[in-house]
């Protein structure tokens, strides 16, 4: 949505919410898209399954309470009041739960082309942007906002070939730990990001090494660039004892550190795969 008159002419500045803010307008818009997706699910015949899972697995309520309800009544009279009573971080829990449930049953729209899972994510990300929410859905998780360039690198690394599945698994783990609310685990997020790089090296070297430095030496790149990659990776894996639990204490490792590690490790993964494949094709 384009800026309105008051924003274009400086009468009203676009506000960025704090990470813990959940104003009524944002909650209303999130509920509207949830309801929209549920309406789409009706056409597939799977909405009853999703509502039952929300009631049982998310809210942990007695299924007998909604057994005799119509789908519309269960959604409006049962789930909606509970959604509007959730704490700010529980709203994001709900969104992640719904995204993953819809993805798990492989629902399509009536056109049979676009995944409802993707429609839900794209609409929520649009709402986040318009409402000034400092989060974005990445890899099905509500993730603290990262720059668009960094997001592109992370998403690209998550879409690498299936032969690098262990790499993607560690990277997803890093995102999950980084995104945990209300208590993110930044130190272990960094460790998972590091493990993603080491898994890549193990795969490319056929298990002979997990050291990035061994692989970088084999790449046909300038010596200064080799050293830069080693130093950047060294910051994440050794500097301050992030890897080994030495100094500093975990409480001193913040969001900025974990965000940097995620972005750097993703960039290294993408770069090494690109260079390795290029060099392999020349042989």
């Amino acid at each position: 949505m384009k800026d309105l008159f008051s924003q274009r002419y400086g009468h009203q500045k676009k506000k960025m919410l704090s990470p813990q803010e959940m104003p009524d307008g944002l909650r209303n818009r999130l509920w509207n898209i949830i309801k929209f997706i549920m309406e789409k699910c009706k056409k597939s015949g799977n909405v009853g399954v999703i509502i039952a899972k929300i009631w049982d697995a998310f809210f942990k309520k007695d299924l007998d309470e909604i057994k005799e309800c119509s789908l519309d009544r269960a959604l409006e009279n049962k789930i909606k009041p509970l959604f509007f009573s959730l704490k700010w971080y529980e709203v994001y829990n709900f969104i992640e739960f719904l995204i993953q449930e819809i993805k798990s049953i492989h629902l399509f729209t009536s056109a049979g082309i676009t995944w409802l899972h993707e429609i839900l994510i794209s609409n929520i990300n649009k709402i986040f942007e318009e409402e000034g929410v400092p989060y974005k859905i990445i890899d099905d998780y509500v993730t603290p906002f990262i720059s668009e360039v960094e997001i592109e690198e992370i998403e690209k690394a998550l879409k690498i070939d299936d032969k690098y599945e262990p790499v993607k698994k560690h990277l997803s783990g890093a995102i999950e730990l980084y995104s945990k609310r209300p208590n993110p685990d930044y130190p272990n997020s960094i460790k998972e990001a590091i493990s993603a790089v080491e898994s890549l090296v193990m795969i490319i070297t056929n298990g002979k090494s997990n050291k990035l430095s061994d692989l970088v030496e084999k790449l046909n790149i300038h010596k200064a660039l080799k050293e830069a990659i080693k130093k950047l990776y060294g910051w994440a894996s050794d500097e301050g004892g992030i890897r080994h639990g030495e100094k500093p204490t975990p409480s001193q490792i913040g969001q900025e550190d974990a965000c940097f590690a995620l972005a750097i490790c993703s960039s290294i993964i993408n770069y090494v795969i690109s260079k390795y494949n290029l060099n392999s094709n020349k042989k």
Side-chain angles (χ1 to χ4, degrees):
M1 184 172 67
K2 294 181 179 179
D3 289 346
L4 299 178
F5 174 88
S6 60
Q7 293 171 335
R8 292 199 310 275
Y9 292 97
H11 301 294
Q12 182 183 21
K13 291 184 178 180
K14 194 170 183 177
K15 181 185 176 184
M16 280 298 293
L17 300 177
S18 73
Q20 299 183 14
E21 275 189 274
M22 181 58 63
D24 290 343
L26 172 59
R27 194 184 294 255
N28 286 334
R29 292 196 69 189
L30 291 174
W31 176 255
N32 290 340
I33 190 59
I34 290 166
K35 187 175 179 181
F36 170 79
I37 290 295
M38 290 297 192
E39 290 293 329
K40 291 288 184 182
C41 288
K42 278 185 181 180
K43 297 179 180 179
S44 71
N46 286 292
V47 68
V49 174
I50 294 175
I51 286 176
K53 286 189 174 184
I54 290 171
W55 196 250
D56 170 54
F58 186 83
F59 289 116
K60 304 188 188 306
K61 297 286 187 179
D62 185 350
L63 284 171
D64 287 341
E65 294 179 32
I66 61 169
K67 187 182 294 184
E68 303 302 325
C69 294
S70 67
L71 296 176
D72 289 336
R73 186 163 169 263
L75 188 62
E76 287 295 323
N77 296 357
K78 297 291 185 178
I79 292 176
K80 183 178 180 179
L82 291 176
F83 176 83
F84 277 84
S85 70
L86 293 173
K87 296 175 182 176
W88 70 269
Y89 55 85
E90 292 173 330
V91 171
Y92 295 129
N93 288 346
F94 185 94
I95 288 170
E96 289 183 350
F97 181 89
L98 183 61
I99 287 171
Q100 291 165 24
E101 285 302 321
I102 287 179
K103 184 178 182 179
S104 70
I105 57 177
H106 298 272
L107 291 175
F108 287 97
T109 62
S110 56
I113 300 172
T114 308
W115 291 95
L116 280 180
H117 163 258
E118 293 177 357
I119 293 174
L120 177 58
I121 289 175
S122 64
N123 276 275
I124 289 175
N125 279 335
K126 183 180 179 183
I127 290 170
F128 284 175
E129 181 180 354
E130 292 175 353
E131 297 299 318
V133 178
Y135 296 107
K136 184 165 183 173
I137 308 292
I138 303 176
D139 194 34
D140 297 340
Y141 293 106
V142 179
T143 306
F145 189 77
I146 305 171
S147 76
E148 290 300 325
V149 173
E150 290 166 335
I151 287 170
E152 286 178 11
E153 286 296 324
I154 294 168
E155 290 182 335
K156 182 179 177 182
L158 287 165
K159 294 176 181 176
I160 56 178
D161 194 275
D162 286 344
K163 69 180 179 180
Y164 302 115
E165 188 61 34
V167 180
K168 293 193 283 187
K169 186 176 180 180
H170 282 297
L171 200 56
S172 291
I175 294 168
E176 181 178 2
L177 292 164
Y178 177 78
S179 306
K180 280 178 66 178
R181 290 294 177 271
N183 299 309
D185 188 347
Y186 296 135
N188 282 314
S189 174
I190 293 173
K191 289 177 183 178
E192 281 294 300
I194 294 164
S195 294
V197 176
E198 292 175 341
S199 293
L200 172 65
V201 177
M202 287 285 285
I203 292 168
I204 292 177
T205 63
N206 294 315
K208 295 178 181 178
S209 175
N210 68 346
K211 294 180 180 179
L212 180 64
S213 57
D214 292 342
L215 182 61
V216 168
E217 286 299 330
K218 297 179 182 179
L219 296 176
N220 184 25
I221 57 178
H222 193 277
K223 182 179 178 180
L225 185 53
K226 289 181 182 180
E227 291 304 312
I229 293 173
K230 290 177 188 178
K231 287 177 179 178
L232 283 171
Y233 180 71
W235 171 88
S237 59
D238 296 318
E239 179 67 26
I242 291 171
R243 149 57 54 87
H244 302 293
E246 298 161 0
K247 55 177 189 187
T249 64
S251 62
Q252 293 175 294
I253 298 171
Q255 179 181 334
E256 297 83 2
D257 303 297
C259 175
F260 183 74
L262 254 176
I264 287 299
C265 289
S266 296
S267 297
I268 288 173
I269 288 166
N270 294 329
Y271 182 74
V272 168
I273 288 177
S274 175
K275 292 297 291 186
Y276 177 79
N277 287 341
L278 182 62
N279 291 343
S280 296
N281 292 335
K282 288 180 178 180
K283 292 178 181 180

